[in-house]
Amino acid sequence: MRIAEGWKDYRILDTSGGEKLESWGGRVLIRPDPQVIWNTPKEIPEWNRADAHYHRSNKGGGQWELYKKLPESWTIGYRELTFRIRPTGFKHTGLFPEQAVNWDLFHKLIQGAGRPVKILNLFAYTGGATLACLRSGAQVCHVDASKGMVGWARENAALSGLSDKPVRWIVDDCEKFVAREIRRGSFYDGVIMDPPSYGRGPGGEVWKLEDQVYDLVNLCAGVLNDHPLFFALNSYTTGLSPSVMAYLLKVTVGKRFGGDVTADEIGLPVEASGSVLPCGSTALWTASREPL
């Protein structure tokens, strides 16, 4: 497992009973987490001093219970990057901290390329990977179907002093956008994909990652240029093990370009237990062997 250990403004204090106790820049939140199947004693006092607690509803979704007055939003930093944190009605805060381990990896790959690099970031959310690639000197195309998320990403770029960097902000369906880029002859040195596990399209179409990820990755392999650098695939779906994701990249991207594929879980340290909370998986194709 690769662990995102570089945070100073974010910490997992403890986990128990299907929930994690987190500090986001000093503001303590309790949020549900399906990986937390243990009921260890809640011995640290922060469990009783949280600022807010997200409760799931049996009907879907949920709501925040505020124990203390929270600002509408606040910022936290990771290395040279700054992110706006805003608790949403779907338990999320606008950032997945475990992805920092991938941001550092992308930085290393781009910095080591020794040439201009053009990155396509799909399902790009609030821009963590986009900002990391911009900071590393890459040109980035950031694509997400949510106008609100793209606006949030642009705000994060401004907070990080990256507004003047070469980036395209695109609100579009990722699959349709990639197909158009291929037809236009617009190709990339690297692709980052963080597709949702489940969702519905504007016409009620059901998206289920396990059923559609092969076709999507196979399509996106076609948007790489003749000398690509990397292709990263993230998943939070328990049905897609790292080995399955690695196989998928080998028979799509690897079949076209050779290279090497590695895959592993990613996670975050838990202070109370000294252990690590699994937070999904990443598979990575690189043109030459690059251990995760």
Side-chain angles (χ1 to χ4, degrees):
M1 181 184 292
R2 295 186 298 123
I3 306 169
E5 297 180 296
W7 282 101
K8 295 180 180 178
D9 287 355
Y10 172 83
R11 301 151 60 205
I12 296 184
L13 307 175
D14 198 8
T15 60
S16 182
E19 297 179 316
K20 54 189 174 185
L21 179 71
E22 307 165 291
S23 174
W24 295 82
R27 293 178 171 89
V28 178
L29 307 180
I30 300 173
R31 296 193 297 157
D33 191 304
Q35 299 279 14
V36 183
I37 62 173
W38 45 88
N39 286 294
T40 49
K42 296 180 177 180
E43 296 175 336
I44 67 171
E46 284 84 356
W47 282 106
N48 298 314
R49 299 174 184 170
D51 294 277
H53 189 169
Y54 187 87
H55 300 281
R56 286 196 181 279
S57 168
N58 294 330
K59 299 178 181 178
Q63 63 181 1
W64 288 95
E65 179 182 4
L66 299 182
Y67 301 133
K68 302 174 186 177
K69 186 176 181 180
L70 279 176
E72 181 183 349
S73 67
W74 63 95
T75 61
I76 66 171
Y78 182 79
R79 306 199 191 282
E80 295 89 352
L81 305 178
T82 302
F83 300 97
R84 177 76 64 190
I85 301 303
R86 184 181 298 122
T88 71
F90 297 96
K91 88 168 183 177
H92 299 301
T93 63
L95 196 67
F96 292 96
E98 67 277 2
Q99 287 297 324
V101 74
N102 286 329
W103 305 340
D104 291 343
L105 179 60
F106 302 151
H107 176 74
K108 177 182 176 183
L109 289 167
I110 293 166
Q111 290 274 288
R115 58 182 170 91
V117 174
K118 184 180 176 185
I119 301 296
L120 177 61
N121 187 13
L122 300 170
F123 309 95
Y125 196 49
T126 61
T130 294
L131 271 58
C133 292
L134 289 174
R135 178 177 70 90
S136 306
Q139 176 183 342
V140 183
C141 182
H142 173 111
V143 187
D144 198 281
S146 168
K147 183 178 180 181
M149 291 300 107
V150 174
W152 197 335
R154 295 185 71 151
E155 183 181 4
N156 285 335
L159 289 168
S160 299
L162 298 170
S163 293
D164 62 341
K165 299 299 182 181
V167 56
R168 297 167 63 199
W169 304 105
I170 306 294
V171 180
D172 203 350
D173 176 272
C174 289
E175 186 173 359
K176 293 177 180 177
F177 178 80
V178 169
R180 287 199 303 273
E181 287 287 87
I182 294 171
R183 291 196 298 269
R184 288 189 287 247
S186 180
F187 301 109
Y188 296 82
D189 298 281
V191 172
I192 301 167
M193 288 178 51
D194 202 344
S197 298
Y198 181 84
R200 290 186 180 274
E205 313 93 328
V206 174
W207 161 272
K208 191 175 180 182
L209 184 60
E210 298 97 318
D211 296 339
Q212 294 168 271
V213 67
Y214 169 77
D215 289 338
L216 179 61
V217 171
N218 200 38
L219 171 68
C220 292
V223 83
L224 291 168
N225 60 28
D226 292 338
H227 302 285
L229 186 62
F230 70 88
F231 192 115
L233 172 64
N234 290 313
S235 173
Y236 302 95
T237 303
T238 54
L240 288 179
S241 69
S243 297
V244 168
M245 294 166 63
Y247 193 104
L248 179 61
L249 288 190
K250 286 179 182 177
V251 299
T252 52
V253 184
K255 184 177 180 180
R256 296 191 188 199
F257 298 102
D260 188 68
V261 175
T262 50
D264 207 342
E265 287 186 289
I266 58 176
L268 288 160
V270 180
E271 293 184 1
S273 66
S275 191
V276 177
L277 178 67
C279 300
S281 302
T282 299
L284 178 75
W285 173 89
T286 52
S288 58
R289 186 163 184 82
E290 181 68 40
L292 283 174

